[in-house]
Amino acid sequence: MQQVRLSEVEVRVYEAVSVLETRGQVPYPDLIAEEAGLAEQDVHAPLHQLTEKGLLHREDSPLAGLDFGPRWCARQPT
């Protein structure tokens, strides 16, 4: 399995997404920031970097007419 190098912030953001999912909470950026101990504006770049590395994926609101913004879901390593 190929190792992916992550910055400290990327690790914090990835772990925050995983913890939120484990608790059954929807990983929206504001909750991810709170869980990671970061300001909300500071999680956007790591979220996109983790997506490019294939560790997260973005899902848009599944309910028509209800848009709470994108949620970010962890991809489990295979």
Side-chain angles (χ1 to χ4, degrees), residues 4-11 13-14 42-57 72:
V4 177
R5 296 189 140 270
L6 300 177
S7 69
E8 181 183 333
V9 173
E10 289 171 330
V11 170
V13 168
Y14 181 81
D42 295 336
V43 300
H44 294 289
L47 286 170
H48 290 287
Q49 292 162 347
L50 289 164
T51 300
E52 289 175 3
K53 292 177 181 181
L55 296 172
L56 295 181
H57 68 278
W72 301 85

Side-chain angles (χ1 to χ4, degrees), residues 26-38:
V26 180
Y28 291 119
D30 60 336
L31 290 176
I32 295 167
E34 183 179 323
E35 185 67 34
L38 300 167

Side-chain angles (χ1 to χ4, degrees), residues 8-21:
E8 181 183 333
V9 173
E10 289 171 330
V11 170
R12 288 171 60 186
V13 168
Y14 181 81
E15 289 175 350
V17 170
S18 297
V19 167
L20 290 168
E21 289 181 326

